[in-house]
């Protein structure tokens, strides 16, 4: 191994190749083009627009999916209806959650999709479609409606803190009916 002092004589400014006028113009044009691109923000360009979707854009409300009488006659029907809704909607787009509001006389269910496009597609397919002999009404949730559901967890579209009158007694009655139904062997006429 040998050590010697560095020699910088061959790396001087004189040895640098001179850039021609064409190259300088090319660099200036490229710089101006980039600056114009940065300065020109097009508000109409959908790719440039921010995604300002709300959490409700992914939720579809389906009405007339069941009747309260169906749920009273067969307490396990709620699971079947929920599964049927999930299967039908999963054909359209990936579903993340299905909630049946079993105290709503209109037979309301909400379906949450993984994206807003799936929810819009569901509305196009499911609106005015027939399900169990009833014409379905489908629309994107806006978060202003509050639906009733029997459970300890308040799962509603919106913030609802107040309990409805007689809700506990009604829930107890439903649980007793369900218990009787189970003891009878799960037959529909119990």
């Amino acid at each position: 191994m040998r050590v010697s002092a560095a020699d910088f004589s061959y790396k001087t400014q004189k040895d640098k190749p001179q850039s021609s006028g064409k190259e300088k113009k090319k660099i200036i044009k490229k710089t101006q083009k980039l600056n114009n691109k940065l300065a020109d923000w097009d508000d109409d360009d959908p790719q440039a627009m921010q995604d300002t979707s709300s959490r409700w854009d992914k939720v579809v409300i389906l009405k007339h999916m069941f009747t309260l009488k169906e749920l009273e006659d067969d307490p396990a029907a709620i699971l079947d209806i929920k599964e049927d809704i999930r299967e039908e909607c999963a054909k359209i787009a990936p579903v993340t959650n299905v909630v049946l509001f079993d105290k709503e006389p209109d037979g309301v269910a909400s379906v949450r999709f993984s994206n807003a496009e799936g929810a819009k597609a569901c509305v196009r397919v499911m609106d005015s479609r027939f399900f169990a002999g009833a014409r379905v009404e489908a629309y994107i949730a806006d978060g202003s409606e509050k639906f009733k559901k029997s459970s300890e967890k308040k799962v509603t579209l919106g913030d609802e803190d107040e309990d409805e009158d007689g809700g506990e007694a009604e829930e107890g009655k439903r649980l007793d009916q369900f218990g009787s139904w189970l003891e009878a062997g799960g037959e529909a006429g119990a």
Side-chain angles (χ1 to χ4, degrees):
M1 185 184 302
R2 192 171 56 119
V3 178
S4 65
D7 181 19
F8 294 106
S9 64
Y10 63 89
K11 289 190 177 184
T12 63
Q13 283 291 81
K14 294 181 218 169
D15 294 340
K16 180 181 174 195
Q18 292 291 326
S19 59
S20 67
K22 281 185 177 181
E23 287 180 23
K24 283 184 182 180
K25 286 181 183 180
K26 202 181 228 184
I27 292 171
I28 290 171
K29 270 188 177 181
K30 202 177 253 187
T31 307
Q32 285 175 344
K33 193 174 182 180
L34 287 173
N35 284 338
N36 287 340
K37 207 174 203 179
L38 287 172
D40 183 33
W41 284 34
D42 189 7
D43 291 339
D44 298 330
D45 185 13
Q47 295 172 342
M49 290 174 50
Q50 282 187 338
D51 186 19
T52 57
S53 65
S54 73
R55 69 180 189 155
W56 301 113
D57 289 346
K58 299 176 186 179
V59 179
V60 175
I61 301 298
L62 301 171
K63 288 189 175 180
H64 312 297
M65 298 302 289
F66 58 90
T67 63
L68 294 179
K69 182 165 177 20
E70 287 176 330
L71 298 181
E72 286 175 15
D73 291 346
D74 184 12
I78 194 166
L79 299 173
D80 293 336
I81 294 168
K82 209 172 177 179
E83 187 60 34
D84 290 345
I85 293 170
R86 180 180 288 277
E87 286 174 6
E88 285 300 311
C89 291
K91 293 176 185 175
I92 301 166
V95 175
T96 58
N97 193 16
V98 177
V99 177
L100 257 63
F101 296 96
D102 56 349
K103 289 193 172 186
E104 285 294 325
D106 286 341
V108 178
S110 71
V111 182
R112 181 177 294 275
F113 290 89
S114 60
N115 57 38
E117 291 79 28
K120 290 175 188 171
C122 177
V123 169
R124 284 193 301 271
V125 171
M126 298 296 276
D127 194 32
S128 300
R129 184 176 173 179
F130 285 91
F131 183 80
R135 188 181 200 128
V136 175
E137 182 183 333
Y139 58 91
I140 301 288
D142 59 5
S144 64
E145 290 183 292
K146 295 181 169 113
F147 299 110
K148 299 176 204 130
K149 179 182 186 305
S150 64
S151 77
E152 295 304 312
K153 290 193 259 176
K154 284 282 185 186
V155 181
T156 60
L157 291 178
D159 299 319
E160 184 178 9
D161 295 331
E162 67 272 357
D163 244 353
E164 65 181 274
D165 297 335
E168 290 180 19
E170 196 173 307
E171 180 68 13
K173 180 182 172 189
R174 276 180 32 98
L175 288 174
D176 288 342
Q177 284 180 342
F178 184 68
S180 301
W181 178 80
L182 283 175
E183 289 172 357
E187 295 173 13

